[in-house]
């Protein structure tokens, strides 16, 4: 009985190994697609963060200072 199992398993080995390689290739392709999607989402989020940062007020001015309106001179500090 053990000899029969050994011969059967030995005969099936190339098929099983081939199936394993195919499965690994499919997993690798799926992983690459997932990585590409994650990278695209990351780039999108970075662009969104940069756009939000561009809309933030300038916090380098001294505390309590009134920001100068575009087109109006700063008469307090002139």
């Amino acid at each position: 009985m053990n000899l029969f199992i050994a011969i059967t398993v030995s005969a099936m080995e190339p098929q099983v190994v081939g199936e394993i390689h195919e499965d690994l290739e499919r997993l690798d392709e799926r992983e690459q697609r997932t990585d590409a999607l994650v990278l695209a989402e990351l780039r999108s989020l970075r662009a969104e963060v940069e756009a939000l940062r561009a809309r933030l007020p300038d916090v380098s001015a001294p505390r309590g200072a009134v920001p100068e309106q575009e087109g109006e001179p700063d008469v307090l500090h002139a």
Side-chain angles (χ1 to χ4, degrees):
M1 181 69 168
N2 287 340
L3 182 59
F4 173 74
I5 293 172
I7 292 171
T8 304
V9 169
S10 178
M12 291 176 57
E13 184 179 4
Q15 177 185 352
V16 172
V17 170
E19 290 173 0
I20 290 172
H21 285 293
E22 289 172 5
D23 289 344
L24 289 174
E25 287 176 17
R26 281 194 296 273
L27 286 173
D28 187 45
E29 290 169 2
R30 187 178 303 148
E31 186 176 300
Q32 288 177 9
R33 286 192 304 270
T34 302
D35 288 351
L37 290 172
V38 169
L39 186 58
E41 182 66 20
L42 179 62
R43 287 179 178 149
S44 173
L45 290 171
R46 282 182 178 164
E48 189 174 333
V49 166
E50 286 303 314
L52 290 171
R53 281 184 180 154
R55 294 175 51 196
L56 288 175
D58 182 12
V59 293
S60 63
R63 190 175 195 127
V66 177
E68 186 177 318
Q69 295 295 321
E70 195 171 314
E72 296 181 15
D74 184 3
V75 293
L76 295 176
H77 297 95

mmCIF file with all atom_site columns, all heavy atoms in Angstrom, residues 43-68:
data_model
loop_
_atom_site.group_PDB
_atom_site.id
_atom_site.type_symbol
_atom_site.label_atom_id
_atom_site.label_alt_id
_atom_site.label_comp_id
_atom_site.label_asym_id
_atom_site.label_entity_id
_atom_site.label_seq_id
_atom_site.pdbx_PDB_ins_code
_atom_site.Cartn_x
_atom_site.Cartn_y
_atom_site.Cartn_z
_atom_site.occupancy
_atom_site.B_iso_or_equiv
_atom_site.pdbx_formal_charge
_atom_site.auth_seq_id
_atom_site.auth_comp_id
_atom_site.auth_asym_id
_atom_site.auth_atom_id
_atom_site.pdbx_PDB_model_num
ATOM 1   N N   . ARG A 1 43 ? -0.693  58.813 -4.305 1.00 0.00 ? 43 ARG A N   1
ATOM 2   C CA  . ARG A 1 43 ? -0.372  60.026 -5.077 1.00 0.00 ? 43 ARG A CA  1
ATOM 3   C C   . ARG A 1 43 ? -1.539  61.007 -5.058 1.00 0.00 ? 43 ARG A C   1
ATOM 4   O O   . ARG A 1 43 ? -1.349  62.213 -4.931 1.00 0.00 ? 43 ARG A O   1
ATOM 5   C CB  . ARG A 1 43 ? -0.003  59.657 -6.510 1.00 0.00 ? 43 ARG A CB  1
ATOM 6   C CG  . ARG A 1 43 ? 1.357   59.008 -6.610 1.00 0.00 ? 43 ARG A CG  1
ATOM 7   C CD  . ARG A 1 43 ? 1.694   58.629 -8.031 1.00 0.00 ? 43 ARG A CD  1
ATOM 8   N NE  . ARG A 1 43 ? 3.024   58.062 -8.102 1.00 0.00 ? 43 ARG A NE  1
ATOM 9   C CZ  . ARG A 1 43 ? 3.398   57.143 -8.963 1.00 0.00 ? 43 ARG A CZ  1
ATOM 10  N NH1 . ARG A 1 43 ? 2.537   56.667 -9.850 1.00 0.00 ? 43 ARG A NH1 1
ATOM 11  N NH2 . ARG A 1 43 ? 4.625   56.673 -8.960 1.00 0.00 ? 43 ARG A NH2 1
ATOM 12  N N   . SER A 1 44 ? -2.744  60.490 -5.188 1.00 0.00 ? 44 SER A N   1
ATOM 13  C CA  . SER A 1 44 ? -3.936  61.326 -5.152 1.00 0.00 ? 44 SER A CA  1
ATOM 14  C C   . SER A 1 44 ? -4.072  62.017 -3.793 1.00 0.00 ? 44 SER A C   1
ATOM 15  O O   . SER A 1 44 ? -4.369  63.217 -3.717 1.00 0.00 ? 44 SER A O   1
ATOM 16  C CB  . SER A 1 44 ? -5.171  60.474 -5.439 1.00 0.00 ? 44 SER A CB  1
ATOM 17  O OG  . SER A 1 44 ? -6.342  61.212 -5.248 1.00 0.00 ? 44 SER A OG  1
ATOM 18  N N   . LEU A 1 45 ? -3.847  61.273 -2.727 1.00 0.00 ? 45 LEU A N   1
ATOM 19  C CA  . LEU A 1 45 ? -3.939  61.847 -1.393 1.00 0.00 ? 45 LEU A CA  1
ATOM 20  C C   . LEU A 1 45 ? -2.853  62.893 -1.153 1.00 0.00 ? 45 LEU A C   1
ATOM 21  O O   . LEU A 1 45 ? -3.103  63.933 -0.536 1.00 0.00 ? 45 LEU A O   1
ATOM 22  C CB  . LEU A 1 45 ? -3.865  60.754 -0.333 1.00 0.00 ? 45 LEU A CB  1
ATOM 23  C CG  . LEU A 1 45 ? -5.094  59.838 -0.256 1.00 0.00 ? 45 LEU A CG  1
ATOM 24  C CD1 . LEU A 1 45 ? -4.823  58.670 0.676  1.00 0.00 ? 45 LEU A CD1 1
ATOM 25  C CD2 . LEU A 1 45 ? -6.312  60.614 0.190  1.00 0.00 ? 45 LEU A CD2 1
ATOM 26  N N   . ARG A 1 46 ? -1.659  62.633 -1.657 1.00 0.00 ? 46 ARG A N   1
ATOM 27  C CA  . ARG A 1 46 ? -0.577  63.621 -1.515 1.00 0.00 ? 46 ARG A CA  1
ATOM 28  C C   . ARG A 1 46 ? -0.940  64.918 -2.237 1.00 0.00 ? 46 ARG A C   1
ATOM 29  O O   . ARG A 1 46 ? -0.699  66.011 -1.729 1.00 0.00 ? 46 ARG A O   1
ATOM 30  C CB  . ARG A 1 46 ? 0.731   63.065 -2.063 1.00 0.00 ? 46 ARG A CB  1
ATOM 31  C CG  . ARG A 1 46 ? 1.400   62.098 -1.134 1.00 0.00 ? 46 ARG A CG  1
ATOM 32  C CD  . ARG A 1 46 ? 2.714   61.623 -1.707 1.00 0.00 ? 46 ARG A CD  1
ATOM 33  N NE  . ARG A 1 46 ? 3.383   60.733 -0.778 1.00 0.00 ? 46 ARG A NE  1
ATOM 34  C CZ  . ARG A 1 46 ? 4.377   59.942 -1.112 1.00 0.00 ? 46 ARG A CZ  1
ATOM 35  N NH1 . ARG A 1 46 ? 4.841   59.933 -2.347 1.00 0.00 ? 46 ARG A NH1 1
ATOM 36  N NH2 . ARG A 1 46 ? 4.941   59.161 -0.211 1.00 0.00 ? 46 ARG A NH2 1
ATOM 37  N N   . ALA A 1 47 ? -1.510  64.794 -3.425 1.00 0.00 ? 47 ALA A N   1
ATOM 38  C CA  . ALA A 1 47 ? -1.913  65.980 -4.179 1.00 0.00 ? 47 ALA A CA  1
ATOM 39  C C   . ALA A 1 47 ? -3.014  66.733 -3.435 1.00 0.00 ? 47 ALA A C   1
ATOM 40  O O   . ALA A 1 47 ? -3.008  67.972 -3.378 1.00 0.00 ? 47 ALA A O   1
ATOM 41  C CB  . ALA A 1 47 ? -2.394  65.580 -5.576 1.00 0.00 ? 47 ALA A CB  1
ATOM 42  N N   . GLU A 1 48 ? -3.928  65.999 -2.840 1.00 0.00 ? 48 GLU A N   1
ATOM 43  C CA  . GLU A 1 48 ? -5.001  66.625 -2.075 1.00 0.00 ? 48 GLU A CA  1
ATOM 44  C C   . GLU A 1 48 ? -4.444  67.348 -0.848 1.00 0.00 ? 48 GLU A C   1
ATOM 45  O O   . GLU A 1 48 ? -4.861  68.469 -0.527 1.00 0.00 ? 48 GLU A O   1
ATOM 46  C CB  . GLU A 1 48 ? -6.011  65.557 -1.643 1.00 0.00 ? 48 GLU A CB  1
ATOM 47  C CG  . GLU A 1 48 ? -7.270  66.115 -1.042 1.00 0.00 ? 48 GLU A CG  1
ATOM 48  C CD  . GLU A 1 48 ? -8.292  65.038 -0.761 1.00 0.00 ? 48 GLU A CD  1
ATOM 49  O OE1 . GLU A 1 48 ? -8.289  63.991 -1.434 1.00 0.00 ? 48 GLU A OE1 1
ATOM 50  O OE2 . GLU A 1 48 ? -9.098  65.259 0.156  1.00 0.00 ? 48 GLU A OE2 1
ATOM 51  N N   . VAL A 1 49 ? -3.491  66.750 -0.161 1.00 0.00 ? 49 VAL A N   1
ATOM 52  C CA  . VAL A 1 49 ? -2.864  67.377 1.004  1.00 0.00 ? 49 VAL A CA  1
ATOM 53  C C   . VAL A 1 49 ? -2.144  68.651 0.577  1.00 0.00 ? 49 VAL A C   1
ATOM 54  O O   . VAL A 1 49 ? -2.244  69.690 1.250  1.00 0.00 ? 49 VAL A O   1
ATOM 55  C CB  . VAL A 1 49 ? -1.899  66.401 1.713  1.00 0.00 ? 49 VAL A CB  1
ATOM 56  C CG1 . VAL A 1 49 ? -0.999  67.123 2.695  1.00 0.00 ? 49 VAL A CG1 1
ATOM 57  C CG2 . VAL A 1 49 ? -2.674  65.301 2.407  1.00 0.00 ? 49 VAL A CG2 1
ATOM 58  N N   . GLU A 1 50 ? -1.428  68.604 -0.527 1.00 0.00 ? 50 GLU A N   1
ATOM 59  C CA  . GLU A 1 50 ? -0.724  69.796 -1.010 1.00 0.00 ? 50 GLU A CA  1
ATOM 60  C C   . GLU A 1 50 ? -1.710  70.899 -1.363 1.00 0.00 ? 50 GLU A C   1
ATOM 61  O O   . GLU A 1 50 ? -1.462  72.078 -1.077 1.00 0.00 ? 50 GLU A O   1
ATOM 62  C CB  . GLU A 1 50 ? 0.162   69.455 -2.214 1.00 0.00 ? 50 GLU A CB  1
ATOM 63  C CG  . GLU A 1 50 ? 1.405   68.680 -1.845 1.00 0.00 ? 50 GLU A CG  1
ATOM 64  C CD  . GLU A 1 50 ? 2.270   69.394 -0.822 1.00 0.00 ? 50 GLU A CD  1
ATOM 65  O OE1 . GLU A 1 50 ? 2.512   70.620 -0.970 1.00 0.00 ? 50 GLU A OE1 1
ATOM 66  O OE2 . GLU A 1 50 ? 2.699   68.750 0.142  1.00 0.00 ? 50 GLU A OE2 1
ATOM 67  N N   . ALA A 1 51 ? -2.836  70.546 -1.968 1.00 0.00 ? 51 ALA A N   1
ATOM 68  C CA  . ALA A 1 51 ? -3.852  71.548 -2.300 1.00 0.00 ? 51 ALA A CA  1
ATOM 69  C C   . ALA A 1 51 ? -4.425  72.168 -1.026 1.00 0.00 ? 51 ALA A C   1
ATOM 70  O O   . ALA A 1 51 ? -4.659  73.380 -0.960 1.00 0.00 ? 51 ALA A O   1
ATOM 71  C CB  . ALA A 1 51 ? -4.961  70.916 -3.134 1.00 0.00 ? 51 ALA A CB  1
ATOM 72  N N   . LEU A 1 52 ? -4.647  71.358 -0.014 1.00 0.00 ? 52 LEU A N   1
ATOM 73  C CA  . LEU A 1 52 ? -5.155  71.875 1.259  1.00 0.00 ? 52 LEU A CA  1
ATOM 74  C C   . LEU A 1 52 ? -4.121  72.764 1.944  1.00 0.00 ? 52 LEU A C   1
ATOM 75  O O   . LEU A 1 52 ? -4.466  73.800 2.510  1.00 0.00 ? 52 LEU A O   1
ATOM 76  C CB  . LEU A 1 52 ? -5.566  70.729 2.179  1.00 0.00 ? 52 LEU A CB  1
ATOM 77  C CG  . LEU A 1 52 ? -6.818  69.959 1.747  1.00 0.00 ? 52 LEU A CG  1
ATOM 78  C CD1 . LEU A 1 52 ? -6.994  68.712 2.601  1.00 0.00 ? 52 LEU A CD1 1
ATOM 79  C CD2 . LEU A 1 52 ? -8.038  70.846 1.823  1.00 0.00 ? 52 LEU A CD2 1
ATOM 80  N N   . ARG A 1 53 ? -2.862  72.365 1.889  1.00 0.00 ? 53 ARG A N   1
ATOM 81  C CA  . ARG A 1 53 ? -1.798  73.186 2.483  1.00 0.00 ? 53 ARG A CA  1
ATOM 82  C C   . ARG A 1 53 ? -1.718  74.550 1.806  1.00 0.00 ? 53 ARG A C   1
ATOM 83  O O   . ARG A 1 53 ? -1.449  75.555 2.457  1.00 0.00 ? 53 ARG A O   1
ATOM 84  C CB  . ARG A 1 53 ? -0.451  72.479 2.369  1.00 0.00 ? 53 ARG A CB  1
ATOM 85  C CG  . ARG A 1 53 ? -0.252  71.407 3.388  1.00 0.00 ? 53 ARG A CG  1
ATOM 86  C CD  . ARG A 1 53 ? 1.140   70.823 3.277  1.00 0.00 ? 53 ARG A CD  1
ATOM 87  N NE  . ARG A 1 53 ? 1.320   69.779 4.276  1.00 0.00 ? 53 ARG A NE  1
ATOM 88  C CZ  . ARG A 1 53 ? 2.154   68.778 4.157  1.00 0.00 ? 53 ARG A CZ  1
ATOM 89  N NH1 . ARG A 1 53 ? 2.933   68.681 3.089  1.00 0.00 ? 53 ARG A NH1 1
ATOM 90  N NH2 . ARG A 1 53 ? 2.254   67.874 5.101  1.00 0.00 ? 53 ARG A NH2 1
ATOM 91  N N   . ALA A 1 54 ? -1.925  74.568 0.509  1.00 0.00 ? 54 ALA A N   1
ATOM 92  C CA  . ALA A 1 54 ? -1.856  75.819 -0.239 1.00 0.00 ? 54 ALA A CA  1
ATOM 93  C C   . ALA A 1 54 ? -2.968  76.775 0.196  1.00 0.00 ? 54 ALA A C   1
ATOM 94  O O   . ALA A 1 54 ? -2.825  77.990 0.070  1.00 0.00 ? 54 ALA A O   1
ATOM 95  C CB  . ALA A 1 54 ? -1.949  75.548 -1.736 1.00 0.00 ? 54 ALA A CB  1
ATOM 96  N N   . ARG A 1 55 ? -4.065  76.238 0.710  1.00 0.00 ? 55 ARG A N   1
ATOM 97  C CA  . ARG A 1 55 ? -5.195  77.068 1.133  1.00 0.00 ? 55 ARG A CA  1
ATOM 98  C C   . ARG A 1 55 ? -5.066  77.545 2.582  1.00 0.00 ? 55 ARG A C   1
ATOM 99  O O   . ARG A 1 55 ? -5.844  78.388 3.018  1.00 0.00 ? 55 ARG A O   1
ATOM 100 C CB  . ARG A 1 55 ? -6.495  76.286 0.981  1.00 0.00 ? 55 ARG A CB  1
ATOM 101 C CG  . ARG A 1 55 ? -6.825  75.984 -0.480 1.00 0.00 ? 55 ARG A CG  1
ATOM 102 C CD  . ARG A 1 55 ? -8.042  75.116 -0.632 1.00 0.00 ? 55 ARG A CD  1
ATOM 103 N NE  . ARG A 1 55 ? -9.172  75.636 0.128  1.00 0.00 ? 55 ARG A NE  1
ATOM 104 C CZ  . ARG A 1 55 ? -10.246 74.923 0.409  1.00 0.00 ? 55 ARG A CZ  1
ATOM 105 N NH1 . ARG A 1 55 ? -10.348 73.682 -0.008 1.00 0.00 ? 55 ARG A NH1 1
ATOM 106 N NH2 . ARG A 1 55 ? -11.235 75.438 1.103  1.00 0.00 ? 55 ARG A NH2 1
ATOM 107 N N   . LEU A 1 56 ? -4.102  77.013 3.321  1.00 0.00 ? 56 LEU A N   1
ATOM 108 C CA  . LEU A 1 56 ? -3.930  77.416 4.717  1.00 0.00 ? 56 LEU A CA  1
ATOM 109 C C   . LEU A 1 56 ? -3.392  78.836 4.796  1.00 0.00 ? 56 LEU A C   1
ATOM 110 O O   . LEU A 1 56 ? -2.607  79.258 3.962  1.00 0.00 ? 56 LEU A O   1
ATOM 111 C CB  . LEU A 1 56 ? -2.952  76.478 5.429  1.00 0.00 ? 56 LEU A CB  1
ATOM 112 C CG  . LEU A 1 56 ? -3.448  75.083 5.740  1.00 0.00 ? 56 LEU A CG  1
ATOM 113 C CD1 . LEU A 1 56 ? -2.307  74.255 6.331  1.00 0.00 ? 56 LEU A CD1 1
ATOM 114 C CD2 . LEU A 1 56 ? -4.614  75.120 6.711  1.00 0.00 ? 56 LEU A CD2 1
ATOM 115 N N   . PRO A 1 57 ? -3.798  79.570 5.842  1.00 0.00 ? 57 PRO A N   1
ATOM 116 C CA  . PRO A 1 57 ? -3.243  80.914 6.007  1.00 0.00 ? 57 PRO A CA  1
ATOM 117 C C   . PRO A 1 57 ? -1.772  80.827 6.389  1.00 0.00 ? 57 PRO A C   1
ATOM 118 O O   . PRO A 1 57 ? -1.308  79.820 6.912  1.00 0.00 ? 57 PRO A O   1
ATOM 119 C CB  . PRO A 1 57 ? -4.078  81.505 7.158  1.00 0.00 ? 57 PRO A CB  1
ATOM 120 C CG  . PRO A 1 57 ? -4.636  80.328 7.879  1.00 0.00 ? 57 PRO A CG  1
ATOM 121 C CD  . PRO A 1 57 ? -4.754  79.210 6.869  1.00 0.00 ? 57 PRO A CD  1
ATOM 122 N N   . ASP A 1 58 ? -1.075  81.929 6.153  1.00 0.00 ? 58 ASP A N   1
ATOM 123 C CA  . ASP A 1 58 ? 0.349   81.997 6.498  1.00 0.00 ? 58 ASP A CA  1
ATOM 124 C C   . ASP A 1 58 ? 0.462   82.114 8.015  1.00 0.00 ? 58 ASP A C   1
ATOM 125 O O   . ASP A 1 58 ? 0.057   83.109 8.602  1.00 0.00 ? 58 ASP A O   1
ATOM 126 C CB  . ASP A 1 58 ? 0.994   83.196 5.809  1.00 0.00 ? 58 ASP A CB  1
ATOM 127 C CG  . ASP A 1 58 ? 2.481   83.291 6.093  1.00 0.00 ? 58 ASP A CG  1
ATOM 128 O OD1 . ASP A 1 58 ? 3.060   82.311 6.624  1.00 0.00 ? 58 ASP A OD1 1
ATOM 129 O OD2 . ASP A 1 58 ? 3.065   84.340 5.782  1.00 0.00 ? 58 ASP A OD2 1
ATOM 130 N N   . VAL A 1 59 ? 0.996   81.100 8.655  1.00 0.00 ? 59 VAL A N   1
ATOM 131 C CA  . VAL A 1 59 ? 1.109   81.097 10.111 1.00 0.00 ? 59 VAL A CA  1
ATOM 132 C C   . VAL A 1 59 ? 2.465   81.633 10.572 1.00 0.00 ? 59 VAL A C   1
ATOM 133 O O   . VAL A 1 59 ? 2.760   81.626 11.756 1.00 0.00 ? 59 VAL A O   1
ATOM 134 C CB  . VAL A 1 59 ? 0.866   79.682 10.694 1.00 0.00 ? 59 VAL A CB  1
ATOM 135 C CG1 . VAL A 1 59 ? -0.563  79.265 10.477 1.00 0.00 ? 59 VAL A CG1 1
ATOM 136 C CG2 . VAL A 1 59 ? 1.836   78.684 10.120 1.00 0.00 ? 59 VAL A CG2 1
ATOM 137 N N   . SER A 1 60 ? 3.264   82.138 9.646  1.00 0.00 ? 60 SER A N   1
ATOM 138 C CA  . SER A 1 60 ? 4.571   82.664 10.027 1.00 0.00 ? 60 SER A CA  1
ATOM 139 C C   . SER A 1 60 ? 4.466   84.106 10.535 1.00 0.00 ? 60 SER A C   1
ATOM 140 O O   . SER A 1 60 ? 5.416   84.617 11.105 1.00 0.00 ? 60 SER A O   1
ATOM 141 C CB  . SER A 1 60 ? 5.542   82.585 8.850  1.00 0.00 ? 60 SER A CB  1
ATOM 142 O OG  . SER A 1 60 ? 5.078   83.395 7.791  1.00 0.00 ? 60 SER A OG  1
ATOM 143 N N   . ALA A 1 61 ? 3.302   84.755 10.333 1.00 0.00 ? 61 ALA A N   1
ATOM 144 C CA  . ALA A 1 61 ? 3.110   86.132 10.819 1.00 0.00 ? 61 ALA A CA  1
ATOM 145 C C   . ALA A 1 61 ? 3.024   86.112 12.345 1.00 0.00 ? 61 ALA A C   1
ATOM 146 O O   . ALA A 1 61 ? 2.603   85.121 12.934 1.00 0.00 ? 61 ALA A O   1
ATOM 147 C CB  . ALA A 1 61 ? 1.832   86.713 10.217 1.00 0.00 ? 61 ALA A CB  1
ATOM 148 N N   . PRO A 1 62 ? 3.422   87.203 13.000 1.00 0.00 ? 62 PRO A N   1
ATOM 149 C CA  . PRO A 1 62 ? 3.341   87.264 14.466 1.00 0.00 ? 62 PRO A CA  1
ATOM 150 C C   . PRO A 1 62 ? 1.901   87.075 14.936 1.00 0.00 ? 62 PRO A C   1
ATOM 151 O O   . PRO A 1 62 ? 0.960   87.467 14.261 1.00 0.00 ? 62 PRO A O   1
ATOM 152 C CB  . PRO A 1 62 ? 3.838   88.663 14.817 1.00 0.00 ? 62 PRO A CB  1
ATOM 153 C CG  . PRO A 1 62 ? 4.494   89.193 13.597 1.00 0.00 ? 62 PRO A CG  1
ATOM 154 C CD  . PRO A 1 62 ? 3.971   88.420 12.433 1.00 0.00 ? 62 PRO A CD  1
ATOM 155 N N   . ARG A 1 63 ? 1.757   86.476 16.103 1.00 0.00 ? 63 ARG A N   1
ATOM 156 C CA  . ARG A 1 63 ? 0.429   86.205 16.652 1.00 0.00 ? 63 ARG A CA  1
ATOM 157 C C   . ARG A 1 63 ? -0.312  87.528 16.879 1.00 0.00 ? 63 ARG A C   1
ATOM 158 O O   . ARG A 1 63 ? 0.234   88.485 17.404 1.00 0.00 ? 63 ARG A O   1
ATOM 159 C CB  . ARG A 1 63 ? 0.562   85.456 17.964 1.00 0.00 ? 63 ARG A CB  1
ATOM 160 C CG  . ARG A 1 63 ? -0.745  84.938 18.448 1.00 0.00 ? 63 ARG A CG  1
ATOM 161 C CD  . ARG A 1 63 ? -0.555  84.096 19.684 1.00 0.00 ? 63 ARG A CD  1
ATOM 162 N NE  . ARG A 1 63 ? -1.781  83.369 19.861 1.00 0.00 ? 63 ARG A NE  1
ATOM 163 C CZ  . ARG A 1 63 ? -1.880  82.072 20.003 1.00 0.00 ? 63 ARG A CZ  1
ATOM 164 N NH1 . ARG A 1 63 ? -0.802  81.353 20.031 1.00 0.00 ? 63 ARG A NH1 1
ATOM 165 N NH2 . ARG A 1 63 ? -3.032  81.487 20.141 1.00 0.00 ? 63 ARG A NH2 1
ATOM 166 N N   . GLY A 1 64 ? -1.560  87.574 16.462 1.00 0.00 ? 64 GLY A N   1
ATOM 167 C CA  . GLY A 1 64 ? -2.378  88.764 16.615 1.00 0.00 ? 64 GLY A CA  1
ATOM 168 C C   . GLY A 1 64 ? -2.287  89.712 15.435 1.00 0.00 ? 64 GLY A C   1
ATOM 169 O O   . GLY A 1 64 ? -3.030  90.680 15.351 1.00 0.00 ? 64 GLY A O   1
ATOM 170 N N   . ALA A 1 65 ? -1.371  89.465 14.516 1.00 0.00 ? 65 ALA A N   1
ATOM 171 C CA  . ALA A 1 65 ? -1.241  90.330 13.344 1.00 0.00 ? 65 ALA A CA  1
ATOM 172 C C   . ALA A 1 65 ? -2.409  90.092 12.411 1.00 0.00 ? 65 ALA A C   1
ATOM 173 O O   . ALA A 1 65 ? -2.877  88.972 12.243 1.00 0.00 ? 65 ALA A O   1
ATOM 174 C CB  . ALA A 1 65 ? 0.072   90.062 12.621 1.00 0.00 ? 65 ALA A CB  1
ATOM 175 N N   . VAL A 1 66 ? -2.879  91.169 11.805 1.00 0.00 ? 66 VAL A N   1
ATOM 176 C CA  . VAL A 1 66 ? -3.981  91.065 10.851 1.00 0.00 ? 66 VAL A CA  1
ATOM 177 C C   . VAL A 1 66 ? -3.367  90.850 9.479  1.00 0.00 ? 66 VAL A C   1
ATOM 178 O O   . VAL A 1 66 ? -2.516  91.643 9.048  1.00 0.00 ? 66 VAL A O   1
ATOM 179 C CB  . VAL A 1 66 ? -4.833  92.355 10.864 1.00 0.00 ? 66 VAL A CB  1
ATOM 180 C CG1 . VAL A 1 66 ? -5.938  92.283 9.834  1.00 0.00 ? 66 VAL A CG1 1
ATOM 181 C CG2 . VAL A 1 66 ? -5.382  92.599 12.256 1.00 0.00 ? 66 VAL A CG2 1
ATOM 182 N N   . PRO A 1 67 ? -3.798  89.793 8.789  1.00 0.00 ? 67 PRO A N   1
ATOM 183 C CA  . PRO A 1 67 ? -3.207  89.560 7.463  1.00 0.00 ? 67 PRO A CA  1
ATOM 184 C C   . PRO A 1 67 ? -3.593  90.670 6.491  1.00 0.00 ? 67 PRO A C   1
ATOM 185 O O   . PRO A 1 67 ? -4.705  91.190 6.526  1.00 0.00 ? 67 PRO A O   1
ATOM 186 C CB  . PRO A 1 67 ? -3.796  88.217 7.044  1.00 0.00 ? 67 PRO A CB  1
ATOM 187 C CG  . PRO A 1 67 ? -4.950  87.971 7.946  1.00 0.00 ? 67 PRO A CG  1
ATOM 188 C CD  . PRO A 1 67 ? -4.776  88.810 9.159  1.00 0.00 ? 67 PRO A CD  1
ATOM 189 N N   . GLU A 1 68 ? -2.658  91.043 5.663  1.00 0.00 ? 68 GLU A N   1
ATOM 190 C CA  . GLU A 1 68 ? -2.887  92.096 4.676  1.00 0.00 ? 68 GLU A CA  1
ATOM 191 C C   . GLU A 1 68 ? -3.800  91.556 3.589  1.00 0.00 ? 68 GLU A C   1
ATOM 192 O O   . GLU A 1 68 ? -3.594  90.448 3.080  1.00 0.00 ? 68 GLU A O   1
ATOM 193 C CB  . GLU A 1 68 ? -1.530  92.490 4.084  1.00 0.00 ? 68 GLU A CB  1
ATOM 194 C CG  . GLU A 1 68 ? -1.588  93.662 3.144  1.00 0.00 ? 68 GLU A CG  1
ATOM 195 C CD  . GLU A 1 68 ? -0.199  94.028 2.657  1.00 0.00 ? 68 GLU A CD  1
ATOM 196 O OE1 . GLU A 1 68 ? 0.738   94.029 3.460  1.00 0.00 ? 68 GLU A OE1 1
ATOM 197 O OE2 . GLU A 1 68 ? -0.081  94.294 1.465  1.00 0.00 ? 68 GLU A OE2 1
#
